[in-house]
Amino acid sequence: PPASAKQVAMSGHAASGEKGNGSGVTMTSKTAKSIPVGVATPVTLDFSDARFEGAVAQVSVPDGMQVTMADGSAVGDIALAVGQPTRVELLVTAHNDGLQYFDVTTLQNQRASVRSVALAVGSGELKLKSVGRVETMPNGDRVKIMRGESR
């Protein structure tokens, strides 16, 4: 189920945006600072600076995440209005804890830009794979031992 307006308001919001060097379309995103694992949560994308007919935005999501339009329909190419702002309301459901991203590609006049929208899911912590083993040295220092490779 989607997060309620009260849940989103209580958690605060995170917003980001930048103008890409490629397509020239400006995109900003707004979402809760932290979203719960497995709960459909609203994400707003605002686009501006579309100057050519046929300008579109496309959303790409990694495994473990689902994105739909706010009405539950599938996300396809999002037409961007020339000379007018375009607002898109999405529902994002992330099934894994940690810092996650989905990508938005804007295309205009045969040029493209890709921006990643960061989502703090659950704990929101960046998950890195541990490599090597930790050993305690005689002086008490802990050292990570990693296998080297020769070339």
Side-chain angles (χ1 to χ4, degrees):
S4 70
K6 182 178 179 182
Q7 287 172 316
V8 172
M10 289 176 57
S11 65
H13 286 88
S16 66
E18 64 181 85
K19 186 171 183 175
N21 292 331
S23 71
V25 173
T26 300
M27 184 196 85
T28 59
S29 63
K30 184 176 177 183
T31 187
K33 283 188 179 181
S34 176
I35 67 174
V37 175
V39 176
T41 304
V43 174
T44 302
L45 303 178
D46 286 304
F47 300 92
S48 60
D49 298 325
R51 292 185 171 87
F52 298 92
E53 290 296 326
V56 297
Q58 301 168 334
V59 176
S60 304
V61 297
D63 291 339
M65 185 182 296
Q66 295 172 311
V67 176
T68 64
M69 300 301 284
D71 65 6
S73 63
V75 178
D77 283 356
I78 301 164
L80 304 178
V82 174
Q84 298 179 20
T86 301
R87 173 167 280 181
V88 177
E89 303 283 343
L90 303 174
L91 288 177
V92 177
T93 306
H95 299 286
N96 300 308
D97 182 74
L99 184 60
Q100 298 181 41
Y101 299 86
F102 69 88
D103 293 329
V104 179
T105 302
T106 53
L107 304 161
Q108 173 176 240
N109 197 29
Q110 301 179 349
R111 292 179 172 216
S113 296
V114 179
R115 290 170 201 81
S116 295
V117 177
L119 302 171
V121 181
S123 70
E125 294 178 8
L126 182 60
K127 305 289 182 179
L128 300 175
K129 293 181 182 179
S130 181
V131 177
R133 67 182 190 284
V134 177
E135 290 186 10
T136 303
M137 305 307 290
N139 66 359
D141 288 344
R142 294 176 50 92
V143 177
K144 182 171 270 194
I145 308 298
M146 299 171 57
R147 190 178 87 191
E149 294 183 24
S150 61
R151 293 182 187 212

